[in-house]
Amino acid sequence: LLEMKNIKKSFDDVEVLKDISLKVEKGEVLCIIGPSGSGKSTLLRCATNLETKDSGEINYQGSFGLVFQNFNLFPHHTVMKNIVNAPIKVQKRDKDEVYKEAKSLLKKMGLEDKENAYPCELSGGQQQRVSIARALAMNPDILFFDEPTSALDPELTGEILKVIKDLAAEDMTMVIVTHEMNFAKNVADYIIFMENGYIVEQGSPEEVFASQNTRMKEFLGKFE
Ligand code: ATP
Ligand code: MG
């Protein structure tokens, strides 16, 4: 579904992505972990065209959605408007159909009573569920998450991780940058550990969490 080959990216003189290659198959969940500044967000931004790569190749089949750390909802639009705007305006889809689908997405997210609320009237966890609903309303083939829970309190983190787990159970293809190691272990089919612009370790959760790589062990040690 997604293939990135030999991606390189520099900001000024600093090479932030150094020859990154990865593949995501349909129905697969890829988790990207690694220390702050290792290039995880830049990789996601290159994959989703928010940033231009310097070299390398990106091959896609289908469309993608993106969920950010800070929700990025339009503050002056209601929950419903936030969700239906792009499918109607960008995808030019039938209004009634989009509203109907948005209602069922809100129900799925446990927010059926919030469609007329404004983002500032919602908790962080609720806002994040709206932004997941908004991404899903575009019917993406692949969903990218950049630290979807790092702006949330621990109890709200759990509710978002649950939503993502449910999506995984429905075979949604996802690429998730996360600092939640237990979650990554549970939900990922494949894990990439990045450091300093390189993929230092990768494999199944079992492989990566049992890695004898010094850098990997040092990183995982911080979560114990
Ligand atoms: P975190 O876990 O803190 O989110 P990250 O792994 O997502 O970190 P990136 O945001 O990808 O890291 O940043 C990697 C490096 O690239 C950092 O050194 C950062 O300062 C630099 N960088 C990122 N975006 C820009 C930019 N627009 N201009 C200049 N430097 C940037
Ligand atoms: Mg980041």
Side-chain angles (χ1 to χ4, degrees):
L1 209 60
L2 166 67
E3 184 174 26
M4 302 179 80
K5 274 192 216 163
N6 309 111
I7 302 300
K8 291 185 184 178
K9 173 73 184 175
S10 298
F11 292 109
D12 302 318
D13 287 341
V14 184
E15 201 171 30
V16 172
L17 296 179
K18 301 163 180 158
D19 202 19
I20 299 285
S21 298
L22 61 84
K23 255 187 198 175
V24 184
E25 308 288 354
K26 195 167 160 47
E28 204 172 67
V29 177
L30 168 67
C31 284
I32 302 175
I33 59 176
S36 186
S38 56
K40 305 179 301 293
S41 294
T42 305
L43 178 63
L44 228 59
R45 293 173 63 80
C46 286
T48 54
N49 298 323
L50 289 173
E51 201 77 72
T52 54
K53 57 184 166 30
D54 295 338
S55 64
E57 213 181 297
I58 302 180
N59 297 311
Y60 255 116
Q61 277 156 12
S63 61
F64 59 82
L66 190 53
V67 176
F68 301 91
Q69 177 177 358
N70 294 312
F71 328 132
N72 285 29
L73 296 170
F74 295 110
H76 54 289
H77 285 166
T78 63
V79 163
M80 183 52 101
K81 189 91 198 272
N82 263 285
I83 295 174
V84 299
N85 220 20
I88 293 171
K89 296 238 163 85
V90 181
Q91 294 183 322
K92 314 269 181 219
R93 283 168 52 202
D94 178 73
K95 241 183 171 171
D96 293 341
E97 189 191 300
V98 170
Y99 270 93
K100 211 173 130 199
E101 200 183 302
K103 274 187 193 282
S104 94
L105 283 169
L106 281 173
K107 189 157 180 225
K108 187 172 170 182
M109 296 295 149
L111 295 169
E112 56 267 70
D113 54 339
K114 298 290 183 194
E115 65 172 79
N116 295 314
Y118 286 86
C120 64
E121 299 167 330
L122 303 178
S123 73
Q126 290 170 336
Q127 290 187 52
Q128 191 59 302
R129 279 183 278 151
V130 173
S131 77
I132 294 172
R134 178 177 63 176
L136 289 171
M138 302 287 278
N139 288 321
D141 296 288
I142 178 164
L143 206 47
F144 292 89
F145 293 86
D146 193 355
E147 299 193 27
T149 63
S150 61
L152 300 175
D153 295 338
E155 70 265 36
L156 299 180
T157 294
E159 78 185 35
I160 296 304
L161 297 182
K162 166 92 172 48
V163 167
I164 298 174
K165 270 186 199 159
D166 291 346
L167 290 172
E170 293 167 21
D171 284 334
M172 184 78 208
T173 312
M174 294 183 279
V175 176
I176 307 167
V177 173
T178 184
H179 285 294
E180 299 286 336
M181 292 304 127
N182 280 322
F183 168 73
K185 211 186 254 179
N186 283 323
V187 80
D189 295 301
Y190 200 81
I191 295 183
I192 282 177
F193 170 64
M194 282 183 73
E195 186 169 62
N196 196 19
Y198 290 107
I199 295 177
V200 174
E201 188 64 275
Q202 57 183 314
S204 69
E206 295 73 28
E207 286 166 349
V208 167
F209 282 96
S211 167
Q212 292 306 307
N213 180 292
T214 324
R215 306 297 305 142
M216 180 82 229
K217 278 165 74 176
E218 194 179 308
F219 177 72
L220 290 177
K222 294 192 177 118
F223 294 90
E224 275 161 11

